Amino acid sequence: MGHIIFWGIIRTAILIPALWILSGYLEYKYWWTFLALAVYGVIIHPAYIQYRQFMEANTEVITDTLCSSCKHFNETAVLCLKYDKHPTRNYIPCEGIDWEVKNNSFNEEESDYT
Ligand code: SF4
């Protein structure tokens, strides 16, 4: 998920000076329409496509693996926080040895990662 944010920031950093330069060539009445289309086309739509690709590639890992029910698994990064490795459908970094049930209780008194 971090790569989506990273490339969103890169595209934004490129788009801002480009829009700044183009603002001198566009009539003001078209400016806001062009700005909205540019932001959608250069930043939002590619980020959405990257997110969909990420979800397609990782949905099974997030929902149907041993790691998906483990408290050490971070779903947004598809990462085992204990081993700092990315589990896949066929690869579990700890091979099941360090699996611990995910606690969804709101009354959890302590967490290993806060
Ligand atoms: S500790 Fe093991 S089961 Fe838990 S997320 Fe990491 S690799 Fe998966």
Side-chain angles (χ1 to χ4, degrees):
M1 197 73 80
H3 75 283
I4 297 172
I5 295 168
F6 173 78
W7 284 110
I9 291 169
I10 295 295
R11 286 192 299 271
T12 303
I14 293 169
L15 184 62
I16 289 172
L19 288 172
W20 185 272
I21 292 167
L22 288 173
S23 67
Y25 297 97
L26 281 173
E27 288 185 41
Y28 184 75
K29 64 182 178 182
Y30 300 122
W31 172 244
W32 292 107
T33 304
F34 182 77
L35 178 67
L37 289 174
V39 168
Y40 178 78
V42 176
I43 299 172
I44 297 171
H45 190 66
Y48 176 69
I49 289 171
Q50 284 182 310
Y51 176 75
R52 283 187 51 191
Q53 289 173 339
F54 173 82
M55 290 308 292
E56 280 178 23
N58 293 296
T59 296
E60 203 167 334
V61 177
I62 292 169
T63 59
D64 291 337
T65 61
L66 181 66
C67 295
S68 65
S69 61
C70 178
K71 77 173 196 177
H72 302 294
F73 184 62
N74 181 300
E75 293 176 3
T76 57
V78 191
L79 179 71
C80 170
L81 297 172
K82 188 171 182 107
Y83 284 81
D84 196 27
K85 291 186 176 176
H86 296 280
T88 65
R89 194 168 163 250
N90 301 316
Y91 170 65
I92 296 173
C94 76
E95 299 181 349
I97 293 169
D98 292 317
W99 178 87
E100 292 182 57
V101 69
K102 187 183 288 183
N103 185 359
N104 291 327
S105 170
F106 291 106
N107 296 325
E108 187 175 321
E109 292 181 16
E110 65 182 61
S111 171
D112 294 345
Y113 308 109
T114 55

